[in-house]
Coordinates of all heavy atoms in Angstrom, one line a residue:
M1 N 17.2 -8.8 2.7 CA 16.0 -8.1 2.4 C 16.3 -6.9 1.5 O 17.4 -6.5 1.5 CB 15.4 -7.6 3.7 CG 14.7 -8.6 4.5 SD 13.3 -7.9 5.2 CE 13.6 -8.2 7.0
S2 N 15.3 -6.7 0.6 CA 15.5 -5.7 -0.4 C 14.5 -4.5 -0.1 O 13.6 -4.6 0.6 CB 15.1 -6.2 -1.7 OG 16.0 -7.2 -2.1
Q3 N 14.8 -3.4 -0.7 CA 14.1 -2.1 -0.5 C 13.1 -2.1 -1.6 O 13.5 -2.1 -2.9 CB 15.0 -0.9 -0.5 CG 14.2 0.4 -0.3 CD 14.0 0.7 1.1 OE1 14.5 0.1 2.0 NE2 13.1 1.6 1.3
F4 N 11.8 -2.0 -1.4 CA 10.8 -2.0 -2.4 C 10.0 -0.6 -2.3 O 9.8 -0.1 -1.1 CB 9.8 -3.1 -2.4 CG 10.3 -4.4 -2.7 CD1 10.9 -5.3 -1.9 CD2 10.4 -4.7 -4.1 CE1 11.4 -6.5 -2.2 CE2 11.0 -6.0 -4.5 CZ 11.4 -6.8 -3.5
T5 N 9.7 -0.1 -3.5 CA 8.8 1.2 -3.4 C 7.5 0.7 -4.0 O 7.3 0.3 -5.0 CB 9.4 2.3 -4.3 OG1 10.7 2.6 -3.8 CG2 8.5 3.6 -4.2
V6 N 6.4 0.9 -3.0 CA 5.1 0.5 -3.5 C 4.2 1.7 -3.7 O 4.2 2.8 -2.8 CB 4.5 -0.3 -2.4 CG1 3.0 -0.8 -2.7 CG2 5.3 -1.5 -2.0
S7 N 3.5 1.9 -4.9 CA 2.8 3.1 -5.2 C 1.4 2.7 -5.6 O 1.2 1.6 -6.1 CB 3.5 4.0 -6.2 OG 3.6 3.2 -7.4
G8 N 0.5 3.5 -5.3 CA -0.9 3.3 -5.7 C -1.8 4.4 -5.2 O -1.4 5.5 -5.1
R9 N -3.1 3.9 -4.8 CA -4.0 4.9 -4.3 C -4.9 4.3 -3.3 O -5.1 3.0 -3.3 CB -4.9 5.7 -5.4 CG -5.6 4.7 -6.2 CD -6.2 5.5 -7.5 NE -7.3 4.5 -8.1 CZ -8.4 4.9 -8.5 NH1 -8.5 6.3 -8.6 NH2 -9.3 4.2 -9.0
F10 N -5.4 5.1 -2.4 CA -6.4 4.6 -1.4 C -7.6 5.5 -1.3 O -7.5 6.7 -1.7 CB -5.7 4.5 0.0 CG -5.3 5.7 0.6 CD1 -6.1 6.4 1.4 CD2 -4.1 6.3 0.3 CE1 -5.7 7.6 2.1 CE2 -3.6 7.5 0.9 CZ -4.5 8.1 1.8
Q11 N -8.7 5.0 -0.8 CA -10.0 5.6 -0.7 C -10.1 6.4 0.6 O -9.9 5.9 1.6 CB -11.1 4.7 -0.8 CG -12.4 5.3 -1.0 CD -13.5 4.3 -1.4 OE1 -13.3 3.1 -1.1 NE2 -14.6 4.6 -2.0
S12 N -10.2 7.8 0.4 CA -10.3 8.5 1.7 C -11.7 9.3 1.6 O -12.5 9.2 0.7 CB -9.2 9.6 1.7 OG -9.3 10.5 0.7
R13 N -11.8 10.2 2.6 CA -13.1 10.9 2.6 C -13.3 11.8 1.4 O -14.5 12.0 1.0 CB -13.3 11.8 3.9 CG -13.3 11.0 5.2 CD -13.2 11.9 6.4 NE -13.2 11.0 7.6 CZ -13.0 11.6 8.8 NH1 -13.0 12.8 8.9 NH2 -12.9 10.8 9.8
D14 N -12.3 12.4 1.0 CA -12.3 13.3 -0.2 C -12.2 12.5 -1.5 O -12.0 13.2 -2.5 CB -11.2 14.2 -0.1 CG -11.3 15.1 1.2 OD1 -12.5 15.3 1.7 OD2 -10.2 15.4 1.8
G15 N -12.2 11.3 -1.6 CA -12.0 10.5 -2.8 C -10.7 9.7 -2.7 O -10.3 9.4 -1.7
W16 N -10.2 9.5 -3.9 CA -9.0 8.6 -4.0 C -7.8 9.4 -3.8 O -7.7 10.5 -4.5 CB -9.0 7.8 -5.4 CG -9.9 6.7 -5.4 CD1 -11.3 6.8 -5.9 CD2 -9.9 5.5 -4.9 NE1 -12.0 5.7 -5.8 CE2 -11.0 4.7 -5.2 CE3 -8.8 4.7 -4.4 CZ2 -11.2 3.3 -4.9 CZ3 -8.9 3.4 -3.9 CH2 -10.2 2.8 -4.2
E17 N -6.8 9.0 -3.1 CA -5.6 9.8 -2.8 C -4.4 8.9 -3.2 O -4.4 7.7 -2.9 CB -5.4 10.2 -1.4 CG -6.3 11.3 -1.0 CD -6.0 11.9 0.3 OE1 -4.8 11.9 0.7 OE2 -7.0 12.4 1.0
D18 N -3.4 9.4 -3.9 CA -2.2 8.7 -4.2 C -1.3 8.5 -3.1 O -1.2 9.3 -2.1 CB -1.5 9.4 -5.4 CG -2.3 9.4 -6.7 OD1 -3.1 8.6 -6.9 OD2 -2.2 10.4 -7.5
F19 N -0.4 7.4 -3.0 CA 0.6 7.2 -2.1 C 1.8 6.6 -2.8 O 1.7 6.0 -3.9 CB 0.1 6.3 -0.9 CG -0.1 4.9 -1.3 CD1 0.9 4.0 -1.2 CD2 -1.4 4.5 -1.7 CE1 0.7 2.6 -1.4 CE2 -1.5 3.0 -2.1 CZ -0.5 2.1 -2.0
E20 N 2.9 6.7 -2.0 CA 4.1 6.0 -2.5 C 4.9 5.8 -1.1 O 5.2 6.8 -0.4 CB 4.9 6.9 -3.4 CG 6.2 6.2 -3.9 CD 6.9 7.0 -5.0 OE1 6.3 7.4 -6.0 OE2 8.2 7.2 -4.8
K21 N 5.2 4.5 -0.8 CA 5.8 4.1 0.4 C 7.0 3.3 0.1 O 6.9 2.4 -0.8 CB 4.8 3.5 1.4 CG 3.8 4.4 1.9 CD 3.0 3.7 2.9 CE 2.0 4.5 3.6 NZ 2.5 5.2 4.8
S22 N 8.1 3.4 0.9 CA 9.2 2.4 0.8 C 9.2 1.5 2.0 O 8.8 1.9 3.0 CB 10.6 3.2 0.7 OG 10.6 4.0 -0.3
I23 N 9.5 0.2 1.6 CA 9.5 -0.8 2.6 C 10.6 -1.8 2.5 O 10.9 -2.2 1.3 CB 8.1 -1.5 2.8 CG1 7.9 -2.3 4.0 CG2 7.8 -2.2 1.6 CD1 6.4 -2.6 4.3
D24 N 11.1 -2.4 3.5 CA 12.0 -3.5 3.4 C 11.2 -4.8 3.4 O 10.4 -5.0 4.4 CB 13.1 -3.5 4.5 CG 14.1 -2.4 4.4 OD1 14.4 -2.1 3.2 OD2 14.5 -1.9 5.5
A25 N 11.4 -5.7 2.5 CA 10.7 -7.0 2.4 C 11.6 -8.0 1.6 O 12.5 -7.7 1.0 CB 9.4 -6.7 1.7
E26 N 11.2 -9.2 1.7 CA 11.9 -10.3 1.1 C 11.7 -10.3 -0.4 O 12.5 -10.7 -1.2 CB 11.5 -11.7 1.8 CG 11.9 -11.7 3.3 CD 11.3 -12.9 4.0 OE1 10.6 -13.8 3.2 OE2 11.5 -13.1 5.1
N27 N 10.3 -10.1 -0.8 CA 10.0 -10.1 -2.2 C 8.8 -9.2 -2.4 O 8.3 -8.6 -1.5 CB 9.7 -11.6 -2.7 CG 8.6 -12.2 -2.1 OD1 7.6 -11.7 -1.6 ND2 8.9 -13.6 -1.7
E28 N 8.3 -9.0 -3.7 CA 7.2 -8.0 -4.0 C 5.9 -8.5 -3.3 O 5.2 -7.7 -2.9 CB 7.1 -8.1 -5.5 CG 8.1 -7.4 -6.4 CD 7.8 -7.3 -7.8 OE1 6.6 -7.6 -8.1 OE2 8.7 -7.1 -8.4
N29 N 5.7 -9.8 -3.2 CA 4.4 -10.2 -2.6 C 4.4 -9.8 -1.2 O 3.3 -9.4 -0.5 CB 4.2 -11.7 -2.7 CG 3.8 -12.1 -4.2 OD1 3.4 -11.3 -4.9 ND2 4.2 -13.3 -4.6
V30 N 5.5 -10.0 -0.5 CA 5.5 -9.6 1.0 C 5.4 -8.1 1.1 O 4.8 -7.7 2.0 CB 7.0 -10.2 1.7 CG1 7.1 -9.7 3.0 CG2 7.0 -11.7 1.5
A31 N 6.0 -7.4 0.3 CA 5.8 -5.9 0.3 C 4.5 -5.5 0.1 O 4.0 -4.6 0.9 CB 6.8 -5.3 -0.8
R32 N 3.7 -6.1 -0.8 CA 2.3 -5.9 -1.0 C 1.5 -6.1 0.3 O 0.7 -5.3 0.8 CB 1.7 -6.7 -2.1 CG 2.0 -6.3 -3.4 CD 1.3 -7.2 -4.4 NE 1.8 -7.1 -5.8 CZ 1.3 -6.1 -6.5 NH1 0.2 -5.5 -6.2 NH2 1.7 -6.0 -7.8
E33 N 1.8 -7.3 1.0 CA 1.1 -7.7 2.2 C 1.2 -6.7 3.3 O 0.4 -6.3 4.0 CB 1.4 -9.1 2.6 CG 0.8 -10.1 1.7 CD -0.7 -10.1 1.5 OE1 -1.4 -10.0 2.6 OE2 -1.2 -10.2 0.4
H34 N 2.6 -6.3 3.4 CA 3.0 -5.4 4.5 C 2.1 -4.0 4.2 O 1.7 -3.3 5.2 CB 4.4 -5.1 4.6 CG 5.2 -6.2 5.3 ND1 5.0 -6.4 6.7 CD2 6.1 -7.1 4.9 CE1 5.8 -7.4 7.0 NE2 6.4 -7.9 5.8
I35 N 2.3 -3.5 3.1 CA 1.5 -2.3 2.8 C 0.0 -2.4 3.1 O -0.6 -1.5 3.7 CB 1.8 -1.8 1.3 CG1 3.2 -1.4 1.2 CG2 0.9 -0.5 1.0 CD1 3.7 -0.3 2.0
L36 N -0.7 -3.4 2.6 CA -2.0 -3.6 2.9 C -2.4 -3.7 4.3 O -3.3 -3.1 4.9 CB -2.6 -4.8 2.2 CG -2.7 -4.7 0.7 CD1 -2.9 -6.1 0.0 CD2 -3.7 -3.7 0.2
A37 N -1.5 -4.4 5.2 CA -1.6 -4.4 6.6 C -1.5 -3.2 7.2 O -2.2 -2.7 8.2 CB -0.6 -5.5 7.1
Q38 N -0.5 -2.4 6.8 CA -0.2 -1.1 7.4 C -1.4 -0.1 7.1 O -1.8 0.6 8.1 CB 1.0 -0.4 6.7 CG 1.7 0.6 7.4 CD 3.0 1.0 6.8 OE1 3.1 1.0 5.6 NE2 4.0 1.4 7.6
F39 N -2.0 0.0 6.0 CA -3.1 0.8 5.7 C -4.3 0.3 6.6 O -5.1 1.1 7.1 CB -3.5 0.8 4.2 CG -2.7 2.0 3.4 CD1 -1.7 1.5 2.6 CD2 -3.1 3.2 3.5 CE1 -1.1 2.5 1.9 CE2 -2.5 4.2 2.8 CZ -1.4 3.8 2.1
G40 N -4.5 -0.9 6.7 CA -5.5 -1.5 7.5 C -5.4 -1.1 9.0 O -6.4 -0.6 9.6
S41 N -4.2 -1.1 9.5 CA -4.1 -0.8 10.9 C -4.0 0.7 11.3 O -4.5 1.2 12.3 CB -2.8 -1.5 11.4 OG -1.7 -1.0 10.9
Q42 N -3.3 1.5 10.4 CA -3.2 2.8 10.6 C -4.3 3.6 10.2 O -4.7 4.8 10.8 CB -1.9 3.4 9.9 CG -0.6 2.9 10.6 CD 0.6 3.3 9.8 OE1 0.5 4.0 8.8 NE2 1.7 3.1 10.4
H43 N -5.0 3.3 9.0 CA -6.0 4.2 8.4 C -7.4 3.5 8.6 O -8.4 4.1 8.1 CB -5.8 4.5 7.0 CG -4.5 5.3 6.9 ND1 -4.2 6.7 7.2 CD2 -3.2 4.9 6.5 CE1 -3.1 7.0 6.9 NE2 -2.4 6.0 6.6
N44 N -7.4 2.3 9.1 CA -8.7 1.5 9.3 C -9.3 1.3 7.9 O -10.5 1.4 7.8 CB -9.6 2.3 10.3 CG -10.5 1.3 10.9 OD1 -10.5 0.1 10.9 ND2 -11.6 1.8 11.4
L45 N -8.5 1.0 6.8 CA -9.1 0.7 5.6 C -9.1 -0.8 5.3 O -8.3 -1.7 5.7 CB -8.2 1.4 4.5 CG -8.2 2.9 4.5 CD1 -7.2 3.3 3.5 CD2 -9.5 3.5 4.2
K46 N -10.2 -1.3 4.5 CA -10.2 -2.6 4.0 C -9.2 -2.8 2.9 O -8.9 -1.8 2.1 CB -11.7 -3.0 3.6 CG -12.7 -2.7 4.8 CD -13.1 -4.0 5.4 CE -14.3 -3.7 6.3 NZ -13.8 -3.8 7.6
R47 N -9.0 -4.1 2.5 CA -8.1 -4.2 1.3 C -8.7 -3.7 0.0 O -7.9 -3.4 -0.9 CB -7.7 -5.7 1.3 CG -6.8 -6.2 2.3 CD -6.5 -7.6 2.3 NE -5.7 -8.0 3.4 CZ -4.4 -8.5 3.2 NH1 -3.9 -8.5 2.0 NH2 -3.6 -8.7 4.3
T48 N -10.0 -3.8 0.0 CA -10.6 -3.4 -1.3 C -10.5 -1.8 -1.5 O -10.9 -1.3 -2.6 CB -12.1 -3.8 -1.3 OG1 -12.8 -3.3 -0.2 CG2 -12.2 -5.3 -1.3
Q49 N -10.2 -1.1 -0.4 CA -10.1 0.4 -0.5 C -8.7 0.8 -0.8 O -8.4 2.0 -0.7 CB -10.5 0.9 0.9 CG -12.0 0.7 1.2 CD -12.3 1.2 2.5 OE1 -11.8 0.8 3.6 NE2 -13.4 2.1 2.6
V50 N -7.8 -0.1 -1.1 CA -6.4 0.2 -1.3 C -6.1 -0.4 -2.7 O -6.3 -1.6 -2.9 CB -5.4 -0.3 -0.2 CG1 -3.9 0.0 -0.7 CG2 -5.8 0.3 1.1
E51 N -5.6 0.4 -3.6 CA -5.2 -0.2 -5.1 C -3.7 -0.1 -5.1 O -3.3 1.1 -5.2 CB -6.0 0.5 -6.1 CG -7.5 0.2 -6.1 CD -8.2 0.9 -7.4 OE1 -7.5 1.8 -8.0 OE2 -9.4 0.7 -7.5
I52 N -3.0 -1.1 -5.3 CA -1.6 -1.1 -5.5 C -1.4 -1.1 -7.0 O -1.8 -2.1 -7.7 CB -0.9 -2.3 -4.7 CG1 -1.0 -2.0 -3.3 CG2 0.6 -2.2 -5.2 CD1 -0.4 -3.1 -2.4
E53 N -0.7 -0.1 -7.6 CA -0.5 0.0 -8.9 C 0.9 -0.6 -9.3 O 1.0 -1.2 -10.4 CB -0.6 1.4 -9.4 CG -2.0 2.0 -9.2 CD -2.2 3.4 -9.4 OE1 -1.2 4.1 -9.8 OE2 -3.3 3.9 -9.4
E54 N 1.9 -0.3 -8.5 CA 3.3 -0.8 -8.9 C 4.2 -1.1 -7.7 O 4.0 -0.4 -6.6 CB 4.0 0.4 -9.6 CG 5.4 0.0 -10.1 CD 6.0 1.3 -10.9 OE1 5.5 2.3 -10.8 OE2 7.1 0.9 -11.5
V55 N 4.9 -2.1 -7.8 CA 5.9 -2.5 -6.8 C 7.2 -2.5 -7.5 O 7.4 -3.4 -8.4 CB 5.5 -3.9 -6.1 CG1 6.6 -4.2 -5.1 CG2 4.3 -3.8 -5.5
A56 N 8.2 -1.6 -7.1 CA 9.5 -1.5 -7.8 C 10.6 -1.8 -6.8 O 10.5 -1.4 -5.6 CB 9.6 -0.2 -8.4
A57 N 11.6 -2.5 -7.2 CA 12.7 -2.9 -6.4 C 13.7 -1.6 -6.2 O 13.6 -0.7 -7.1 CB 13.5 -3.9 -7.0

């Protein structure tokens, strides 16, 4: 597995907020899915409320 850094922004009560998270994943698509699932479960956000701008190895 590789280390990926995912950055983007998500919708909060105060408007859009930036984020940057590191995650271990097999490839970029899996990293994206893990981040979307994490925001959904921890922050109760829908996928349309999270914008991923960059996935870097």
